[in-house]
Amino acid sequence: SIARLLALGLLVAVSPLRAEDAPPAAARFGPDPLKKSCKKGVAADCYALANRYLKGDEVKQETSKGADFLDKACEYQLAQACLDLARLRRSGEGVDKDVQKAVALLDRACAGGIAEGCLEVGLLFREGKEVALDLVRASASLDKGCTAGQGRACATLAPLYEEGRGVPQDAARATSLWEKACVSGDGD
């Protein structure tokens, strides 16, 4: 299988990977083999190593090293790593706080199919606190998240359609979004 080839370092992924695509075998390897395979471009092993440093699992807990390995995994197209690194960048935990870099990483996560990344970037632009208010960009990101099954993105986008903020006012579309949010369990 592709996951097994990735775990063995025999295949380098060129398409975006999600965390659930990471081979479970990576968890059985110690830090040294993971470092070697990460250097060879195995995104899942970079991600596994990042999580070990973030949690202090078989290595000294070092958020900055964890962030470095998240960065490598993100470069190798592991979308979940982009999301995790964006959260660190946004909070400044273990790395320099940089909201603009966080936004770029959230966009990469969203483009890689991580609906939470779409939601988070949409919320940033809808709220306009850490970045400039941009309801058009917020709506586009929230729409991607909703389409990918993130119910909270649907619930956040619905009022924008109700009020015509960043999108044309459309009561039918708002109702449809509320329904999607409720079906997902995220409708308030």
Side-chain angles (χ1 to χ4, degrees), residues 62-86:
E62 293 182 66
T63 305
S64 62
K65 276 192 179 181
D68 289 342
F69 285 108
L70 285 175
D71 188 46
K72 286 182 186 190
C74 181
E75 285 177 26
Y76 298 146
Q77 305 299 314
L78 187 73
Q80 182 67 47
C82 300
L83 175 64
D84 294 351
L85 183 56

Side-chain angles (χ1 to χ4, degrees), residues 25-164:
R28 294 193 306 258
F29 297 133
D32 291 335
L34 290 174
K35 286 177 185 176
K36 287 178 185 174
S37 60
C38 178
K39 284 182 182 178
K40 293 178 183 176
V42 180
D45 288 352
C46 296
Y47 187 72
L49 198 51
N51 282 305
R52 288 195 180 188
Y53 277 104
L54 293 170
K55 296 174 185 172
D57 180 15
E58 293 187 39
V59 295
K60 180 182 174 195
Q61 184 176 7
E62 293 182 66
T63 305
S64 62
K65 276 192 179 181
D68 289 342
F69 285 108
L70 285 175
D71 188 46
K72 286 182 186 190
C74 181
E75 285 177 26
Y76 298 146
Q77 305 299 314
L78 187 73
Q80 182 67 47
C82 300
L83 175 64
D84 294 351
L85 183 56
R87 289 174 172 163
L88 291 177
R89 285 273 176 214
R90 199 168 160 204
S91 71
E93 183 183 344
V95 295
D96 292 335
K97 183 174 181 168
D98 189 330
V99 175
Q100 293 307 316
K101 283 185 182 178
V103 167
L105 290 162
L106 289 170
D107 282 337
R108 284 185 74 178
C110 179
I114 303 294
E116 286 180 58
C118 304
L119 170 65
E120 288 186 28
V121 78
L123 289 171
L124 279 170
F125 284 102
R126 188 202 66 175
E127 294 165 0
K129 293 178 183 171
E130 296 177 75
V131 296
L133 179 71
D134 185 340
L135 294 176
V136 172
R137 184 153 181 208
S139 299
S141 294
L142 292 168
D143 187 57
K144 284 180 189 176
C146 180
T147 300
Q150 173 43 267
R152 186 166 170 220
C154 302
T156 304
L157 184 57
L160 298 178
Y161 273 99
E162 286 176 341
E163 300 161 10

